[in-house]
Amino acid sequence: MTKISGIQVIKSYVKTLAEKPGVYRMLNQEGEVLYVGKAKNLKKRVSNYTQPNRLTVRIQRMVSLTHKMEFALTQTESEALLLEANLIKSLMPRFNVLLKDDKSYPYILLTKDDLPPKVMIHRGAKKKKGDYFGPFASPGAVYQTLEILTRVFRLRTCKDTTYNNRSRPCLQYHIKRCTAPCVNKIPPEDYDLNVKMTRDFLMGRTKDIQSILARHMQQASGEMHYEKAAVLRDQIQALTTIQKAHEIHLDSLKNADIIAGVQEHGMTAIQVFFFRNGCNYGNRSFFPNYGANQTLKEIMAAFVTQFYLNKEVPPKILLNTKMIEEDWVNQSLEDHAQHKVKFIYPKMGDRYRLIEMAERNAKEALAMKVSQKSSQKKILEALAKELGLPKVPQRIEIYDNSHIQGADAYGCMVVSGPEGFDKKSYRQFIIKNAKQENLKHGGDDYAMMEEVLSRRFKGAEKDNHPDLIILDGGKGQLSVSVNVMNSLGLEHIPMVAIAKGVDRNAGRERFFMPGRDEFSIDFQSPVMYYLQRLRDEAHRFAIGTHRAKRERKIEKSVLDTIPGVGPKRKKALLQHFGSVRHVSEATVRDLVKVDGISRDMAQIILDHLR
């Protein structure tokens, strides 16, 4: 499709477009979404694409590929912005700024139920009763805080089933990380005080806690309870140290995110610091994907909108640079969060020092990313030379199969490239056609590979083809794979099969490629180490996939055999306990807390499982 025909396609839509807010999608001939955009006035915005002289080279290319457009009208401009961000996250169009951040952020939960409260790390929906504190930027940040809490306040962290079945203190009590309320080693009122101080600590009231501890320490000392006084003294000292490390010392900035972006070497790094209750809850680096010539202002606006789609929005956000359409972004965040959100651009003082700190971290993260990319580029160049590839591979696909004596057979695909492993592109294939009786003897591994490659490449777009295929296997797997690719007209894609060394010795692998004799690679070579990493990642993914599917199948079959346990009760049990093993470890008292489980039914379940 030429550039002119793309413009003509767009012009045909402009004639009938309404002058209202909404979202538009540009699609290519295969139906792939190229770009998602929002507009305050759809007619005016889309008509801009019909003037090629005003468009960048990148946008001209996008227009030339456009074969069709789709539109969605919205009630307000902020609705259009939020819909655009949601569609970008779900469709991942190649011409949009893309934020690869689909992970949920951890919280610390202080529970509230029939048992003494515990502290725990929590991800996902906030369905459990209790107080949630966070989000924390990384598992490291939340684990560090949890370690502080257990060291200073000694609340329990055990599962409820473990708590109910204890008859003596566990290891956590002996290493002074828990006060063992399970066996009454601490009076309830003292444990309640520890719970209150934990809550106060997580809300940033460390000075109040120190005053309480100091008062109790003096009281214990006056009553000659010197051991208790020593414990309280240690808690005060620990809190003093923690306070120095975690507090911002800015009374006006209790809850805020600090966001700083830097752009160098054709890449952008964005650093986010989470501050909650006056404490630093950690930081994370992001490297958005974007097109050439996009400014930092454009990237930051897209980042902020997409970042807060599935996260709580703080009342204040400090930034180091302005964003395009800032009022629009601000209004959409306020509509999403249901409270006022203020963008702040500090130029001096303590807040500016926080921005400087975030900028320094962003620059360091970007320098490290550039260095890693350079190292990855060198190893890919060395790989291309070692294997005699026509070009340096940008997309490598690694294939492995997994089954146990023919049962639950799966094929798996792992993807790697200049940015490392691309986990969003991993795929699983449930084997449908390989003969189970042959799998029991390992004889149908070839059929598995044939099925996986056929399903992967049949009808696949050329843009999504790899530059190198790596197979976990030997001559047989390679021969089958060559036949598949030849039948699909894809014989030009290079393939290499990696067979395990003698006695499965890592470093002594044998390599097979079409039209080339069997060969080996120096076991001390960086290329050898890189290929081992790729193969091991594929093996890990295949085994993990197989194990997860098998465990779900086992859980399903075991619970299905219990009289009186139908789909509704089974779902309630698994949601409450997480697994069949935890159900079997529960007591009758635990089970009756699940909706739909009576005391008699609880006994039937335990009798059956045990």
Side-chain angles (χ1 to χ4, degrees):
M1 178 175 262
T2 65
K3 188 188 305 179
I4 294 175
S5 62
I7 291 174
Q8 294 304 321
V9 167
I10 296 171
K11 281 183 176 179
S12 68
Y13 286 103
V14 171
K15 295 175 184 177
T16 56
L17 277 179
E19 296 190 18
K20 292 182 179 180
V23 171
Y24 58 93
R25 281 171 283 182
M26 307 174 95
L27 292 79
N28 65 10
Q29 197 163 5
E30 289 76 31
E32 174 196 4
V33 178
L34 301 169
Y35 183 78
V36 175
K38 84 282 185 185
K40 297 178 181 179
N41 183 315
L42 276 173
K43 191 178 188 73
K44 287 184 179 179
R45 180 72 185 91
V46 175
S47 65
N48 290 339
Y49 293 108
T50 64
Q51 304 174 48
N53 295 334
R54 297 184 179 183
L55 304 176
T56 64
V57 174
R58 173 175 160 274
I59 300 303
Q60 286 179 11
R61 181 166 174 265
M62 180 184 76
V63 168
S64 73
L65 294 171
T66 301
H67 184 76
K68 181 182 177 182
M69 293 189 73
E70 295 176 346
F71 303 91
L73 295 176
T74 59
Q75 293 293 324
T76 64
E77 296 168 3
S78 61
E79 279 183 19
L81 185 57
L82 290 173
L83 178 58
E84 178 204 38
N86 272 301
L87 288 173
I88 290 171
K89 275 209 165 188
S90 61
L91 299 173
M92 303 292 285
R94 65 169 111 158
F95 286 94
N96 281 97
V97 175
L98 301 178
L99 169 62
K100 294 183 178 180
D101 176 44
D102 57 352
K103 295 181 179 177
S104 63
Y105 285 72
Y107 284 74
I108 282 182
L109 168 61
L110 185 59
T111 62
K112 287 181 181 176
D113 50 33
D114 297 336
L115 298 177
K118 65 176 177 179
V119 284
M120 60 183 288
I121 296 172
H122 178 85
R123 284 183 184 269
K126 299 176 182 177
K127 294 181 179 179
K128 295 184 179 179
K129 292 181 180 178
D131 298 319
Y132 292 84
F133 301 92
F136 288 82
S138 65
V142 75
Y143 280 122
Q144 182 184 27
T145 302
L146 188 64
E147 195 275 334
I148 290 166
L149 295 175
T150 55
R151 179 157 53 92
V152 176
F153 304 113
R154 303 184 185 180
L155 296 191
R156 72 182 187 92
T157 57
C158 58
K159 295 178 180 177
D160 292 350
T161 51
T162 303
Y163 179 91
N164 285 324
N165 291 307
R166 294 237 45 109
S167 57
R168 57 183 179 178
C170 66
L171 178 62
Q172 292 296 309
Y173 172 79
H174 295 293
I175 63 173
K176 301 187 186 303
R177 291 292 187 271
C178 180
T179 50
C182 53
V183 289
N184 302 315
K185 287 289 185 181
I186 181 174
E189 59 273 15
D190 288 353
Y191 192 84
D192 289 343
L193 177 61
N194 287 348
V195 172
K196 180 184 182 304
M197 289 192 293
T198 299
R199 185 178 291 106
D200 287 344
F201 171 81
L202 290 168
M203 294 183 72
R205 301 170 185 160
T206 50
K207 291 180 182 178
D208 295 342
I209 301 169
Q210 286 171 312
S211 299
I212 294 170
L213 291 173
R215 188 168 64 250
H216 282 272
M217 181 181 70
Q218 291 172 358
Q219 182 180 344
S221 180
E223 295 172 355
M224 292 186 289
H225 297 154
Y226 298 118
E227 187 175 344
K228 182 177 180 180
V231 170
L232 292 164
R233 178 204 61 205
D234 293 342
Q235 287 178 300
I236 293 170
Q237 290 176 348
L239 276 174
T240 302
T241 303
I242 293 160
Q243 192 175 1
K244 289 178 182 177
H246 282 72
E247 286 197 352
I248 316 174
H249 302 297
L250 287 178
D251 293 336
S252 61
L253 199 67
K254 288 291 183 183
N255 296 296
D257 286 347
I258 289 79
I259 303 178
V262 295
Q263 204 170 39
E264 295 175 3
H265 309 293
M267 296 177 64
T268 298
I270 297 177
Q271 189 79 196
V272 181
F273 277 80
F274 298 135
F275 287 101
R276 297 295 183 271
N277 301 310
C279 295
N280 182 355
Y281 276 11
N283 60 296
R284 261 190 86 179
S285 303
F286 300 89
F287 304 93
N289 289 342
Y290 60 96
N293 302 321
Q294 286 193 279
T295 66
L296 188 58
K297 290 182 178 181
E298 293 175 290
I299 295 166
M300 287 288 278
F303 172 86
V304 168
T305 308
Q306 292 179 44
F307 182 72
Y308 288 109
L309 272 180
N310 59 347
K311 298 174 187 68
E312 293 182 3
V313 186
K316 295 178 182 177
I317 300 174
L318 278 62
L319 301 113
N320 72 324
T321 184
K322 291 277 187 178
M323 298 177 287
I324 63 167
E325 300 172 328
E326 180 186 311
D327 292 342
W328 198 354
V329 175
N330 184 254
Q331 185 61 54
S332 70
L333 288 191
E334 290 185 345
D335 290 348
H336 176 61
Q338 297 296 301
H339 64 70
K340 284 288 183 183
V341 178
K342 185 176 182 182
F343 292 148
I344 303 171
Y345 302 92
K347 298 299 180 186
M348 61 182 68
D350 291 335
R351 293 184 177 187
Y352 180 65
R353 281 192 282 276
L354 288 175
I355 285 291
E356 284 186 316
M357 175 185 68
E359 271 190 359
R360 282 196 304 272
N361 278 269
K363 287 179 180 178
E364 288 176 8
L366 185 57
M368 190 176 297
K369 185 78 171 178
V370 170
S371 174
Q372 289 172 350
K373 196 169 183 179
S374 175
S375 299
Q376 188 80 351
K377 182 181 177 182
K378 288 178 181 177
I379 195 67
L380 289 173
E381 289 172 350
L383 175 67
K385 185 177 179 181
E386 183 74 52
L387 299 182
L389 304 179
K391 65 177 182 178
V392 176
Q394 299 301 301
R395 179 184 172 99
I396 301 172
E397 294 182 0
I398 310 97
Y399 292 86
D400 192 11
N401 300 324
S402 181
H403 64 87
I404 294 180
Q405 293 185 333
D408 301 319
Y410 292 93
C412 291
M413 177 187 85
V414 163
V415 180
S416 185
E419 302 293 331
F421 291 114
D422 181 9
K423 296 192 175 182
K424 282 192 173 182
S425 297
Y426 287 15
R427 283 185 63 184
Q428 306 164 2
F429 301 85
I430 299 174
I431 302 299
K432 301 175 181 177
N433 301 324
K435 296 177 182 177
Q436 300 297 308
E437 61 269 21
N438 290 342
L439 280 171
K440 292 177 182 178
H441 306 288
D444 226 22
D445 276 348
Y446 300 154
M448 290 175 66
M449 189 63 72
E450 181 180 9
E451 179 180 336
V452 168
L453 290 177
S454 297
R455 288 166 58 186
R456 159 67 180 95
F457 288 102
K458 194 172 183 179
E461 292 184 20
K462 187 176 179 180
D463 288 351
N464 198 29
H465 286 173
D467 301 308
L468 174 65
I469 293 172
I470 297 177
L471 310 169
D472 184 31
K475 276 185 179 179
Q477 278 84 356
L478 180 64
S479 178
V480 167
S481 301
V482 167
N483 291 337
V484 171
M485 301 306 279
N486 287 346
S487 69
L488 296 172
L490 300 174
E491 60 276 1
H492 61 280
I493 299 178
M495 284 188 287
V496 58
I498 306 177
K500 297 176 178 65
V502 179
D503 297 326
R504 309 178 78 84
N505 189 358
R508 305 296 181 188
E509 288 85 354
R510 293 168 295 128
F511 295 84
F512 302 88
M513 294 185 74
R516 182 174 174 179
D517 292 336
E518 173 187 331
F519 64 98
S520 60
I521 298 175
D522 182 0
F523 73 94
Q524 291 183 326
S525 164
V527 171
M528 184 64 164
Y529 174 67
Y530 179 66
L531 287 169
Q532 287 172 342
R533 277 185 58 217
L534 296 181
R535 182 201 58 197
D536 292 347
E537 173 65 6
H539 190 61
R540 179 204 65 77
F541 182 58
I543 294 297
T545 297
H546 189 271
R547 182 181 295 119
K549 302 278 188 183
R550 192 172 69 250
E551 285 177 353
R552 284 199 288 271
K553 185 176 179 181
I554 290 169
E555 287 186 352
K556 181 179 178 182
S557 62
V558 170
L559 291 179
D560 283 344
T561 61
I562 303 175
V565 175
K568 189 174 181 180
R569 281 175 173 163
K570 180 174 65 178
K571 182 180 179 181
L573 286 166
L574 288 175
Q575 284 183 340
H576 187 86
F577 291 101
S579 69
V580 172
R581 181 171 63 83
H582 290 140
V583 174
S584 65
E585 291 174 353
T587 63
V588 170
R589 187 170 65 177
D590 296 325
L591 290 171
V592 295
K593 293 177 183 177
V594 179
D595 290 340
I597 304 297
S598 64
R599 183 167 291 276
D600 290 342
M601 177 54 66
Q603 194 60 58
I604 291 171
I605 292 169
L606 292 184
D607 291 344
H608 188 90
L609 292 177
R610 293 175 183 175

